[in-house]
Amino acid sequence: MFMMYKEKNTFYVGLEKDPAGVSPDNVWRWGSSIPRFSPMCTLTVHFTNGKTKATKTSSMEKSIDSWFDVNGQLCLEKFSSDINKLCEDINKTKKD
């Protein structure tokens, strides 16, 4: 059975399995928002620890044209770099 749902500003929800298979899955939720008539995009990641249910959030605001070239193609290297920065920020706060 496939189920589709929509949550405001959320474009991806993923489960990170516990390597030992004992603890509940961690949840990564990614979202974005772009105000009307604005080039600024806010990317947000929410991490929920499956075991403790503690939530960590990190976000960045950037002009959307910084991820695209003059032909309108996504520059994957630039976009991936920013995604990795958000993940590193979450992982850094996970250890604190």
Side-chain angles (χ1 to χ4, degrees), residues 65 67-76:
D65 64 356
W67 296 314
F68 293 89
D69 64 15
V70 294
N71 297 320
Q73 297 293 314
L74 178 66
C75 296
L76 195 55

Side-chain angles (χ1 to χ4, degrees), residues 6-13 29-36 38-46 57-62 64 67-68 79 83 86:
K6 180 181 174 184
E7 240 180 278
K8 187 174 183 178
N9 298 334
T10 298
F11 62 84
Y12 176 79
V13 177
R29 178 173 285 122
W30 290 85
S32 66
S33 62
I34 303 173
R36 192 172 186 181
S38 173
M40 300 306 289
C41 176
T42 302
L43 281 178
T44 306
V45 59
H46 301 278
T57 301
S58 182
S59 62
M60 79 167 36
E61 185 176 64
K62 205 165 192 180
I64 197 162
W67 296 314
F68 293 89
F79 187 69
I83 294 293
L86 288 172

Side-chain angles (χ1 to χ4, degrees), residues 2 4 16 34 36 39 41 50 54-55 74 76 79 87-88 95:
F2 290 97
M4 189 173 183
E16 179 183 1
I34 303 173
R36 192 172 186 181
C41 176
T55 301
L74 178 66
L76 195 55
F79 187 69
C87 289
E88 288 171 6
K95 295 174 186 170

Side-chain angles (χ1 to χ4, degrees), residues 47 56-58 87-96:
F47 173 82
K56 307 281 184 184
T57 301
S58 182
C87 289
E88 288 171 6
D89 188 41
I90 289 289
N91 287 328
K92 180 180 67 176
T93 58
K94 276 174 37 178
K95 295 174 186 170
D96 294 342

